[in-house]
Amino acid sequence: MSRRQKDILIWIGTFLVMLVICMPGLWVVLSAFRPNGEILTKPAVWIPRDLSWDNFRAIFGLGDAVVAIPVGSYFLNSLIISVTSTVVAVVIGMSGGYAFARYRFPGKGAAFLWLMLSRCVPGIALSLPLFIMWSWTGLIDTKLGVIIVYTAINVPFTVWLTEGFFRQVPRDLSEAAQIDGCTPWQAFWKVEFPLAKSGIASAAIFAFLTSWNEYALASQLTRSTDSKTLPVGLMDFTAQFTIDWAGMSAMAVIIIIPALVLTFLVQKHLIAGLTFGGVKG
Amino acid sequence: MSRLRRYLRDNAVPLALLSPAVLVILLVVLLPLLFSLYTSFSNYRLIRPESLWDVVWFRNYVRVLGDGDFWAALGRTVLFLTLVLNLEMLLGLGLALMVNRLTFGQRTMRTIMMFPMMFSPILVGFQFKYMFNDTIGVVNNALQSLGLTSHAIPFLVDRWLAFASIAIAEIWMSTSIFAILILAGLFAMPRDPVEAARVDGCTNWQVFRHITLPFLMPFIYIAMTIRSLDVARAYDIVDVMTGGGPAGRTELLWTLIARTAYDDSRMGQANAMAYVSILLSIFFTWYFFRKLMAARKHLGVF
């Protein structure tokens, strides 16, 4: 077999595997454009006959069939909560990661392990005590309450990733900049930060995806449209025995699109980020 | 006291840089954990707030450790973890090796490969619950249209099929985490040893077994560590797909804990269970972390 034929075979194989991987997801996306009747019939309608934007119109309350679910405010809540907690977690993580990468201090190893172990605690185990603590302090059902929790959840990971990246940047560079008259802060901001940027980008995307998709904690800490996020809002489509699958699929598409766009934009950084941050640390 | 002061003064900069991270984790992780440690020694029930002060010492733990349902859920969780982690590792390895061979369109394939990662676990739960439905589900419809079965298969009702369905949902969602980490490893791999081995007449399999795989092991263990930590995510999927049913046969630790805490409102007992299972996560993390260190040492990178 020639090299070219081999390449083509691998490509066909990859394509088939990717198709299998994407099928379940694509089925949901397709369902978003079909009426409930067509999705839920038996025997199944494989080729869609009736594609439309009706489900989207319904969940936004624009069409004839109105599903009274405030998707708009859920979306806004999700966006505010995810973006804020990501930014804060990345800043805190960078500061911590820099400390681990650049300074020696007694207790460093223990501190690093302790940080990692704080990720061992599953969300659902935290949800009970956090629920009680937040209701004492009035943080329950506020965006701020969720933002604080998501920030803390993301910090160990952002510290871990940024630490690996700052280690990659040679120490001499910042020292040279300081000899040339930069303050330590300028040296960091102008020399080390740009070089570690791809790691910071990958930390940010992981943090964003975690906050954007989290359900177990948000479902306990949020109550109303003031703070409910999209994954929690998904539950609005379920009644005791029925699920509005068409509406849910439409909302699923709304949840996926921002994540997809963001990941596509930074995925080049992501691979580079994992290479450096992961193993050489 | 003076030693503490000197320690603080000598390490002022790194400590100041670390303090926000420490502070936020103290507030959101450690404080709640101490609180739940206390409640695990009390008879706390959500519906009776005054019961928070009713200390029963180790009664919750004794009850949990003597509870057959708890041990069954623990066993199932370990089985689930082992099965899912190993399959994800094998599939992710295969996927990464395949994508790595591509000479064009690789970036697009990488993005497509990560498609399942975008899905919220709760959404994955609904998606597979609907697909595996015994009357209207796509999987059953497809099997029947192809003439493979004559009757509907009760995927989410039968004990082992329900377990397998949940595992499939979990694997679908997270195989790409393994694949991208392993792919990152393949990108970072030095070319020389592989070429040297080929010159010496090694077969493809020998090169893979003795050079590529050992190099990838640290990446695999990192993925294992991350995924074993994220085992809690199985909660969303399991809760949505089967809710621990049928008749408690897919009950994993975290669905059992959530049910005990919120449905039966026995907070104290739920927290006792949570503590026992946190020990399990810590064991898994520690185990994979040690494996990671050993693999790194084997490679001589540090």
Side-chain angles (χ1 to χ4, degrees):
Chain A
M1 205 164 25
S2 79
R3 205 186 154 76
R4 203 176 152 68
Q5 277 172 317
K6 227 174 175 176
D7 276 353
I8 290 171
L9 266 181
I10 288 169
W11 227 89
I12 292 171
T14 315
F15 183 77
L16 288 176
V17 172
M18 292 297 168
L19 202 67
V20 172
I21 291 175
C22 291
M23 268 312 224
L26 289 178
W27 189 250
V28 177
V29 175
L30 193 63
S31 297
F33 296 95
R34 304 169 74 177
N36 235 334
E38 194 177 300
I39 306 171
L40 303 177
T41 51
K42 188 179 168 79
V45 182
W46 294 108
I47 314 293
R49 282 178 229 143
D50 195 2
L51 293 179
S52 73
W53 292 93
D54 284 353
N55 296 333
F56 290 92
R57 275 203 280 273
I59 60 172
F60 283 112
L62 297 172
D64 315 325
V66 176
V67 181
I69 289 169
V71 178
S73 38
Y74 293 166
F75 191 88
L76 205 63
N77 288 340
S78 260
L79 203 66
I80 294 172
I81 290 171
S82 305
V83 171
T84 316
S85 65
T86 301
V87 171
V88 178
V90 167
V91 170
I92 292 179
M94 249 163 62
S95 134
Y98 192 78
F100 277 123
R102 280 289 186 266
Y103 296 92
R104 287 161 140 329
F105 53 96
K108 183 168 143 175
F112 201 66
L113 192 69
W114 181 76
L115 215 61
M116 283 285 290
L117 283 180
S118 73
R119 240 187 104 94
C120 276
V121 183
I124 185 87
L126 288 178
S127 77
L128 274 44
L130 275 176
F131 173 78
I132 295 162
M133 282 169 56
W134 266 208
S135 52
W136 282 346
T137 51
L139 282 172
I140 210 96
D141 196 23
T142 61
K143 292 186 203 59
L144 182 65
V146 187
I147 289 170
I148 294 175
V149 172
Y150 285 177
T151 304
I153 288 180
N154 284 320
V155 157
F157 200 79
T158 50
V159 169
W160 189 41
L161 265 179
T162 48
E163 190 256 5
F165 272 85
F166 282 127
R167 238 171 227 237
Q168 289 296 114
V169 180
R171 215 176 273 248
D172 320 349
L173 285 178
S174 133
E175 279 163 14
Q178 287 185 46
I179 289 167
D180 290 347
C182 283
T183 63
W185 172 248
Q186 282 174 328
F188 168 77
W189 197 241
K190 291 192 174 147
V191 179
E192 292 175 299
F193 178 76
L195 287 171
K197 222 154 66 185
S198 63
I200 292 156
S202 49
I205 182 106
F206 271 109
F208 180 83
L209 285 180
T210 310
S211 315
W212 186 257
N213 290 330
E214 207 279 340
Y215 169 76
L217 284 168
S219 68
Q220 300 300 335
L221 300 178
T222 63
R223 285 279 169 278
S224 68
T225 48
D226 289 343
S227 65
K228 261 198 194 182
T229 57
L230 285 168
V232 182
L234 215 50
M235 279 295 183
D236 289 1
F237 290 99
T238 62
Q240 178 94 44
F241 297 108
T242 57
I243 294 176
D244 174 11
W245 183 249
M248 195 181 254
S249 303
M251 184 139 155
V253 171
I254 295 171
I255 300 180
I256 296 161
I257 285 174
L260 201 66
V261 170
L262 194 71
T263 316
F264 185 76
L265 290 178
V266 288
Q267 77 91 28
K268 201 177 109 197
H269 294 298
L270 201 63
I271 291 271
L274 289 163
T275 321
F276 295 119
V279 147
K280 297 190 180 163
Chain B
M1 209 53 218
S2 69
R3 274 179 58 190
L4 180 68
R5 203 171 300 146
R6 205 174 63 219
Y7 175 79
L8 289 178
R9 195 189 55 221
D10 290 350
N11 303 297
V13 179
L15 289 180
L17 285 172
L18 266 178
S19 57
V22 173
L23 210 69
V24 71
I25 290 173
L26 275 181
L27 178 71
V28 179
V29 182
L30 210 64
L31 208 61
L33 275 184
L34 289 177
F35 181 83
S36 69
L37 184 66
Y38 165 74
T39 59
S40 74
F41 294 112
S42 80
N43 196 16
Y44 187 38
R45 283 158 187 267
L46 264 191
I47 40 171
R48 291 191 297 117
E50 76 284 357
S51 62
L52 181 57
W53 314 113
D54 180 13
V55 177
V56 297
W57 297 109
F58 286 96
R59 207 167 72 197
N60 286 321
Y61 286 92
V62 172
R63 201 175 286 167
V64 164
L65 294 179
D67 182 5
D69 287 348
F70 173 76
W71 288 108
L74 183 79
R76 236 174 259 128
T77 308
V78 173
L79 180 68
F80 186 76
L81 248 172
T82 320
L83 189 77
V84 165
L85 281 180
N86 281 306
L87 282 173
E88 279 178 7
M89 192 266 278
L90 289 177
L91 292 173
L93 182 64
L95 198 59
L97 288 171
M98 201 165 74
V99 171
N100 192 42
R101 292 288 296 270
L102 292 180
T103 42
F104 67 97
Q106 203 191 68
R107 191 181 294 179
T108 318
M109 282 302 161
R110 254 165 22 206
T111 311
I112 296 174
M113 185 177 89
M114 283 158 63
F115 184 55
M117 273 171 67
M118 314 300 136
F119 285 70
S120 170
I122 182 142
L123 181 56
V124 174
F126 277 117
Q127 181 186 325
F128 278 83
K129 179 190 179 133
Y130 161 63
M131 283 179 19
F132 283 125
N133 186 295
D134 48 6
T135 52
I136 49 157
V138 194
V139 178
N140 258 312
N141 273 330
L143 289 177
Q144 282 169 36
S145 302
L146 293 172
L148 292 175
T149 60
S150 53
H151 60 281
I153 301 168
F155 281 108
L156 294 175
V157 181
D158 177 83
R159 170 185 208 148
W160 290 110
L161 283 177
F163 193 79
S165 306
I166 295 169
I168 288 172
E170 190 72 26
I171 290 167
W172 179 77
M173 185 175 72
S174 303
T175 295
S176 47
I177 294 178
F178 275 84
I180 54 167
L181 279 167
I182 294 171
L183 198 58
L186 285 168
F187 286 165
M189 208 171 103
R191 288 271 148 262
D192 309 355
V194 176
E195 272 152 29
R198 284 205 197 286
V199 171
D200 290 348
C202 285
T203 62
N204 279 338
W205 168 249
Q206 283 169 327
V207 170
F208 175 75
R209 177 70 192 78
H210 296 289
I211 297 170
T212 314
L213 198 58
F215 187 84
L216 291 178
M217 279 332 269
F219 293 89
I220 290 173
Y221 286 126
I222 285 174
M224 288 269 194
T225 316
I226 296 176
R227 285 291 301 146
S228 71
L229 286 180
D230 286 349
V231 60
R233 284 187 187 192
Y235 168 76
D236 302 1
I237 289 183
V238 179
D239 192 44
V240 168
M241 280 178 74
T242 64
R249 279 162 183 164
T250 55
E251 194 89 282
L252 298 184
L253 274 177
W254 294 106
T255 57
L256 182 66
I257 290 167
R259 195 179 327 289
T260 314
Y262 291 113
D263 298 353
D264 306 348
S265 89
R266 285 186 308 218
M267 281 286 170
Q269 203 175 335
N271 279 325
M273 283 186 207
Y275 266 91
V276 178
S277 60
I278 285 172
L279 288 181
L280 186 75
S281 322
I282 291 179
F283 168 77
F284 267 97
T285 315
W286 170 81
Y287 175 76
F288 287 125
F289 202 71
R290 267 201 27 189
K291 287 268 193 192
L292 171 67
M293 286 307 164
R296 276 183 182 174
K297 204 170 259 167
H298 181 75
L299 282 177
V301 288
F302 235 120

